[in-house]
Amino acid sequence: MDLQYASMHHDDIDNSVILCHACDLAVRRRALPSGVRALCPRCHTALYDTPFCSINGMLALCLSAVALFLPANLFPVLELHFLGSVRTATVFQGAMAVMDLGYWVVGIAVLVAAVIGPGLLLLSIMSQILLVKMGLNPGWQRDLYKWLLRRHGLFSQITMLEIYVISFLVSAFQLSDFSDIYFGVGTFSFTMLFLVTLFLQREYNIEHMWSRLND
Ligand SMILES: [Zn+2]
């Protein structure tokens, strides 16, 4: 891996200034070629590295997430065996059941955060990757790309898969005292969707996606 010293600009302090964790020197963050690590000019501590997300890596994560999305939402995430009766629930049925009880705001929140949000986020990242792969050359591609990037914050904020992974684990623990709990394809797909989306969001960097417009 090549090493490169990060540059300092005292006159141009903007929101991309970071502090060295070792000596607290303010350093301006800037785009590096891939496989290059930025070092602190004073104490040579590594500040940040591999700033360019690999488009193919993100595409692979995105395709896995899209493949998991349908089974995660169509198959039951929880299966209860209680006194001879079997009950299963998909995320969608859970949201509907809550709405039937009158808590329709909660039901809508569940649908948005567990189904619609992740769906929009995946579609958006997938489209951005495809647009980058097509070269972002005609005007409509650039316009669509910018439109998607501006909405990325909203899509990732309404995606809250982790809450559902935690809540069905908690309810499984609580219910396991008086009924048998089975996890199936739906539980597996939902948990995997959560993990893949987590890695995808970790790999995705909005600043680097914006910088592709200047290439
Ligand atoms: Zn330093």
Side-chain angles (χ1 to χ4, degrees):
M1 180 181 273
D2 289 327
L3 299 174
Q4 185 169 342
Y5 292 111
S7 64
M8 262 193 309
H9 291 271
H10 294 295
D11 51 332
D12 184 23
I13 304 249
D14 53 15
N15 54 5
S16 63
V17 168
I18 55 167
L19 290 180
C20 169
H21 359 276
C23 70
D24 285 340
L25 180 72
V27 177
R28 185 164 173 262
R29 202 185 170 108
R30 57 179 190 140
L32 294 176
S34 74
V36 168
R37 175 176 287 176
L39 299 181
C40 170
R42 187 153 73 195
C43 68
H44 300 184
T45 303
L47 297 175
Y48 52 92
D49 55 357
T50 45
F52 281 87
C53 37
S54 124
I55 277 289
N56 288 330
M58 287 208 304
L59 183 60
L61 285 169
C62 222
L63 289 172
S64 324
V66 169
L68 289 165
F69 189 81
L70 277 183
N73 286 297
L74 290 179
F75 291 103
V77 284
L78 213 55
E79 192 177 319
L80 295 179
H81 291 223
F82 180 59
L83 295 176
S85 73
V86 178
R87 289 198 170 200
T88 60
T90 62
V91 178
F92 190 75
Q93 285 167 344
M96 287 301 155
V98 174
M99 277 196 240
D100 283 345
L101 290 173
Y103 303 106
W104 56 272
V105 177
V106 180
I108 290 171
V110 170
L111 278 186
V112 167
V115 183
I116 299 169
L120 287 176
L121 182 75
L122 292 175
L123 262 180
S124 169
I125 296 183
M126 185 76 122
S127 318
Q128 291 169 30
I129 294 172
L130 293 178
L131 286 170
V132 167
K133 287 218 166 256
M134 285 193 289
L136 285 173
N137 265 330
W140 68 267
Q141 287 189 6
R142 296 179 78 85
D143 291 344
L144 179 59
Y145 188 71
K146 284 183 205 164
W147 189 86
L148 289 170
L149 287 183
R150 282 197 204 99
R151 271 145 198 85
H152 182 78
L154 174 71
F155 295 156
S156 56
Q157 272 168 10
I158 59 175
T159 300
M160 287 183 284
L161 289 170
E162 66 279 4
I163 291 175
Y164 300 99
V165 173
I166 292 164
S167 57
F168 72 65
L169 288 176
V170 168
S171 39
F173 268 115
Q174 289 175 338
L175 293 168
S176 62
D177 286 345
F178 52 92
S179 65
D180 295 324
I181 306 282
Y182 294 92
F183 294 129
V185 186
T187 326
F188 173 77
S189 307
F190 202 82
T191 314
M192 288 307 288
L193 176 65
F194 158 67
L195 286 176
V196 172
T197 310
L198 193 76
F199 278 109
L200 183 63
Q201 284 179 296
R202 193 172 164 271
E203 197 72 19
Y204 184 93
N205 184 317
I206 189 84
E207 289 165 43
H208 299 136
M209 293 308 271
W210 275 114
S211 73
R212 285 184 186 269
L213 280 169
N214 309 322
D215 289 350

